[in-house]
Amino acid sequence: QCCTSDRPVTEDCRRAATATDTNIKFNDDCVAGVTTESTFTPMTYGETVAKCSSLGLVLCHQSCAGRGCVYNLHPVYSGKACPSTLRPLPPPTPTPPPSPAWPPPSIPPPSTPSPLPPPPSSPPLPPPLPSPPYPLPAEPSPPTRPPPAPPPSPSPMPLSPPTIIPKAGVAILSGNSANNKALFCLWPGDEAVTSSVGRAEWTEITGIAAQCCTTNRPVKKENCRRAATATDTNITFPDDCVAGVAGKSTFISMTYGETVAKCSSLGLVLCHQSCAGRGCAYNLHPVYSGLACH
């Protein structure tokens, strides 16, 4: 099941892929099919994140009880963090194998094999050939050609210097932020950082997601490009997403320099807004921006 936001508001629930999950006309409307029909398909966590993302939705922070598709009979996915009391128990200690009997049974000594018969005698060698009456001249050795000289090694290509974070810093925003407030900042020397670990309290996916915009003005969400398509809401394949889909094996956490280079290769720039709700499930990530830290 999916929701239009991560707020615990019942009206945000979408157990069916319709404008409202109470307007279910066909079994195929249900996100995972209908419980009592052959259309129902259990999904993995990654498949659920991708399904919600493809509908422009996110994982719910509520149970959505009574919202259709007979899902009240099922456990359901959510985007809430798991409390430590629900973590799985450790596996049981394996039973050691039984000890061998002692003393071990005696093994009889191997029997001595019979001696082999001696090999047959070899026939006598023929007498050597007589020596020639005079020494034969030695044949001259053919002239040898020197080996060709190896080609010169090509000069190594000069490496491009890494993109340095500006002195004013770079603001990392919450992917679901509505006010573009910085979650934390990157400063010169943080060029290898790719996650929020040790820098901010973030209960969702810690890898920083790369996203781009057509302009650096925070004027319209239509300028956002979380996917490399004409509009980021027209996401046909996971490969369209700039850094892959959140929660899938295609997702790649990038450094600041890699993000700048990726946007530049698409003819885009870093955004001056969070682009919340613009696809690829990046609402679950911290995201790069082109805003300076204050």
Side-chain angles (χ1 to χ4, degrees):
Q1 63 183 14
C2 309
C3 281
T4 58
S5 75
D6 57 8
R7 301 175 303 163
V9 180
T10 304
E11 287 70 18
D12 290 351
C13 291
R14 295 293 183 273
R15 282 186 172 178
T18 57
T20 63
D21 63 351
T22 57
N23 184 25
I24 303 171
K25 295 181 179 179
F26 303 99
N27 291 350
D28 290 341
D29 289 338
C30 295
V31 172
V34 177
T35 299
T36 57
E37 300 289 340
S38 60
T39 58
F40 180 78
T41 304
M43 298 185 186
T44 65
Y45 170 77
E47 291 169 341
T48 304
V49 171
K51 179 70 173 179
C52 292
S53 175
S54 70
L55 300 172
L57 304 173
V58 296
L59 290 182
C60 303
H61 280 227
Q62 56 185 311
S63 74
C64 293
R67 301 302 292 183
C69 296
V70 203
Y71 289 177
N72 281 21
L73 303 179
H74 287 270
V76 292
Y77 282 106
S78 81
K80 296 175 67 67
C82 199
S84 58
T85 56
L86 297 180
R87 296 188 180 276
L89 297 175
T93 305
T95 304
S99 301
W102 189 261
S106 58
I107 300 174
S111 58
T112 304
S114 302
L116 297 176
S121 58
S122 301
L125 297 175
L129 297 175
S131 301
Y134 53 86
L136 297 176
E139 294 185 1
S141 301
T144 57
R145 181 177 297 175
S153 301
S155 301
M157 294 292 291
L159 298 177
S160 301
T163 302
I164 304 300
I165 295 175
K167 291 182 178 180
V170 172
I172 305 301
L173 311 179
S174 301
N176 59 359
S177 173
N179 57 13
N180 299 330
K181 182 179 179 181
L183 177 65
F184 63 95
C185 293
L186 295 182
W187 303 98
D190 293 336
E191 283 77 13
V193 173
T194 60
S195 77
S196 62
V197 175
R199 298 175 181 273
E201 290 293 332
W202 183 252
T203 59
E204 304 293 348
I205 307 175
T206 58
I208 308 174
Q211 61 182 18
C212 311
C213 280
T214 58
T215 175
N216 59 8
R217 296 178 299 164
V219 288
K220 295 181 179 179
K221 285 191 175 181
E222 287 72 16
N223 293 332
C224 294
R225 294 292 183 273
R226 283 185 171 179
T229 57
T231 62
D232 63 350
T233 56
N234 183 27
I235 302 172
T236 307
F237 302 101
D239 290 343
D240 289 338
C241 295
V242 172
V245 178
K248 303 288 282 186
S249 60
T250 57
F251 182 79
I252 300 174
S253 295
M254 299 185 187
T255 64
Y256 169 77
E258 290 169 340
T259 302
V260 171
K262 180 69 173 181
C263 292
S264 177
S265 71
L266 299 172
L268 304 171
V269 295
L270 291 182
C271 302
H272 280 223
Q273 54 184 312
S274 74
C275 293
R278 302 303 293 184
C280 296
Y282 290 175
N283 280 24
L284 303 176
H285 286 267
V287 294
Y288 281 105
S289 82
L291 294 168
C293 274
H294 301 290

